[in-house]
Amino acid sequence: ATATAGSGKLEPTTTALIELLLRVQSTALRALGPDGFDPKRYVDLPLSTDARAAAAALPSPDKPPPSRAEMERYLARYFGAAGSDLVPAAAELADFEAEPRGFLPRVRSRAARAWALEVHALWRRLARRVARGVAERPERHTLLPLPRGVVVPGSRFREVYYWDSYWIVRGLLVSKMYHSATDTVLNLVHLVQKYGFVPNGARSYYINRSQPPLLSSMVLEVYEATGDVKFVREALPPLLKEHSFWTSEIHSVAIRDNRGHVHNLSRYQAKWNKPRPESATIDKELASKINSTADKEKLYRQIASTAESGWDFSSRWMRNSTDMTTLATTYILPVDLNTFLFKMERDIASFAKLIGDNATSEKFLEASKARHIAIDSILWNSEMEQWLDYWLPTDGDCQQGVYQWRFGSQNRNTFVSNFIPLWLNAHHSGSGQFADTAKSDRVVSSLQKSGLLRAAGIATSPRNTGQQWDFPNGWPPLQHLIAEGLLHSGSKEAARLAEDIATRWVRTNYGAYKATGKMHEKYDVETCGKSGGGGEYKPQTGFGWTNGVVLSFLEEFGWPEHKGIDCSRRGGVSLAG
Ligand SMILES: OC[C@H]1O[C@H](O[C@H]2O[C@H](CO)[C@@H](O)[C@H](O)[C@H]2O)[C@H](O)[C@@H](O)[C@@H]1O
């Protein structure tokens, strides 16, 4: 059973548990107060006894809240600790070696190499196995059982996440951990087989939405490293299913350009109109500013759809950047989502060809060509030399299911996502290039003038809104997508810029690691060695995609013997154009 459209029903086995955990969550907030309160902890608690007994022992909302000590006693009596249903599995990482043969051959600086080996060793800390009891008694766990070993992002992100896994896979491959990388992908393949798409993360409360679709890219990376055709054969049918999830029903939008041609592009949209269980107390507080139930449900859908984008939260999705109730994600045709889908279509075409299914290969090549034309017709802005998110009208101005493209509906604000199509150049060179060298050069020059390139990396946007996917935060996946794209854009200047971004990013990661002993999920791009902040939860460490991006940059660009790695060094070339 999968989440049903619209209202947001969960699997019957876990609905009762989530309802109980939501009651526990709001009781805990009353008992412990808002300081340092993380609502996710409570929906991650595995039940250790009978649900009815746990429900009966919970004070009702009209009674005074329990004391802190009573609350903790209650939790210990009826639940295991959050995350205790995932077993640390360092010992089971059979393909981990302290210094694998051929590891980062171009990293020659002693300091850089010693640190890279420490980052590599972090895979052991992030390795988990889902405890056997999860599959045996699913009604006691919000955790979804997975057949193979997993690598998690870290800290409060105790479970597998969809798009994080792409950079985890990239890092595992640098670490020569081919088996672990393959397992990571096969777990996601298993989720598609079960749910028809990859959920946001491996929790039952995440199955109402997905995340940026990078599964085909993971399959490609693993195949390129292992040459395992059987693996591709296994992954292809689920990829076809995933493609149809993203290109049909609520995700698909038809739009007519000003020459009368109709195009199909995709958008983020969750099947959920309630508070996100992992952040229910926060969502309810936000919705308390709104009166009608129907409008609250609309807001909840926008919130969950924004989580599907991976950019939760950002001014990118808001009509008014200071007011979260103006989130309008389902009305936006996003540049990055359609970039990833173009890549998925090209990847599927290659996989189908590889296994001799020429008809599927042709079909997906055609689909990718159509999406390329759609992206260039609807999202490209030749004046700004960027691809821009397109905002659909909210007033239902849509004839027979087809919107009319309007000048002025592209979002002219700058976001790093406006440059993400450059990434496609890293994966299809020559005549198959997404943007030719001349166009890429113009985009690169637009990026240099954008104000996004800062002392310690690329900012997510130029606006400081307090949201975590805005200034001054720089996120590992975004650095990597842009640097890889620049490196393969065809000009020496773009390649130099790619290396400069990677250098600044590696230094800031190193500086923060030396200061805190940790790898962080995001960084402040204004200051070398400073981690990021903002948003609805405390900044997290660990951290899966961060480690993957650093290892990947070190593999791609190396680190010469005399190149300084600490924050006292300045970037190689000037970032401004
Ligand atoms: O608990 C709040 C939200 O947390 C997640 O989002 C953030 O962390 C993820 C894991 O690193 C990352 O994939 C995402 O891009 C981050 O914004 C979660 O994915 C959200 O669904 C959740 O509501």
Side-chain angles (χ1 to χ4, degrees), residues 405-440:
W405 187 88
R406 301 216 183 281
F407 181 78
S409 292
Q410 291 179 327
N411 182 354
R412 291 175 155 253
N413 291 325
T414 304
F415 300 98
V416 66
S417 47
N418 297 2
F419 303 93
I420 281 181
L422 280 181
W423 180 60
L424 297 170
N425 286 341
H427 297 279
H428 296 283
S429 54
S431 58
Q433 246 190 336
F434 190 78
D436 61 29
T437 310
K439 184 168 177 176
S440 296

Side-chain angles (χ1 to χ4, degrees), residues 55 64 69 114 369 372-373 377 401 413 423 474 488:
K369 284 183 191 154
H372 192 170
I373 295 171
S377 311
N413 291 325
W423 180 60
H488 296 91

